[in-house]
Amino acid sequence: DRHLFYSLECSEITVITPGVTAKSGLDAIEIVRVICDKIRPDVIFAIDALAAGAPSRLGTTVQICDTGICPGSGLGNRRGEMSRRTLGVPVVAIGVPTVINSQVFITENGEVRAPMRSEGLFLCPQYVGEIVENAAKIIGGGINQAFGLDFY
């Protein structure tokens, strides 16, 4: 999807949803790179789900950085890096932890704190839809405010 929004304080905002590689057959970086070459943006906001390092972080934090992002890296499925180095424009990465590696539930002495014990198995809470919906409102609202837009 490509949507253009106009306001007095910014000339143009383009919103895309590249989706996951399994759905399109393309890495997000490939899609974003083509769009960057065509429209030459001033900045990219890359918003993604993250893997939590602790159960208490699921849906409770928002990570923001200006060094870019490597989609899939938290799941051990590293894709192309989205950064100023690779795209030629600043990349602000914003993420919310929505999954966690099942190995986090295994204690240092090897005792299992969760019923599953499989390497590479990622879990998400049953209320992940609510986490995503709330995070979208918070992140979208913050970006809208930053650009002087008054709709959410």
Side-chain angles (χ1 to χ4, degrees), residues 23-140:
K23 191 172 184 180
S24 68
L26 296 169
D27 285 346
I29 184 66
E30 295 173 283
I31 296 167
V32 172
R33 187 176 288 123
V34 167
I35 292 169
C36 283
D37 290 345
K38 180 160 177 67
I39 66 171
R40 308 257 188 243
D42 294 320
V43 65
I44 295 170
F45 287 86
I47 303 167
D48 202 359
L50 303 175
S56 63
R57 296 290 187 205
L58 286 167
T60 63
T61 60
V62 176
Q63 178 179 311
I64 303 173
C65 72
D66 65 356
T67 56
I69 191 167
C70 294
S73 62
L75 303 178
N77 190 16
R78 188 179 172 114
R79 299 289 181 199
E81 173 186 321
M82 285 189 219
S83 67
R84 180 190 293 258
R85 184 182 66 76
T86 61
L87 296 170
V89 296
V91 176
V92 176
I94 304 172
V96 175
T98 58
V99 298
I100 190 164
N101 190 317
S102 63
Q103 294 296 301
V104 169
F105 295 99
I106 298 176
T107 64
E108 290 178 7
N109 64 3
E111 294 177 15
V112 178
R113 288 190 280 179
M116 297 180 201
R117 190 178 194 181
S118 175
E119 190 173 318
L121 178 64
F122 287 85
L123 310 170
C124 68
Q126 67 186 36
Y127 54 90
V128 70
E130 292 175 42
I131 291 172
V132 171
E133 186 176 325
N134 290 331
K137 288 177 184 175
I138 293 166
I139 294 167

Side-chain angles (χ1 to χ4, degrees), residues 8-21:
L8 296 174
E9 295 164 44
C10 66
S11 60
E12 186 175 308
I13 297 173
T14 300
V15 179
I16 66 159
T17 308
V20 296
T21 303

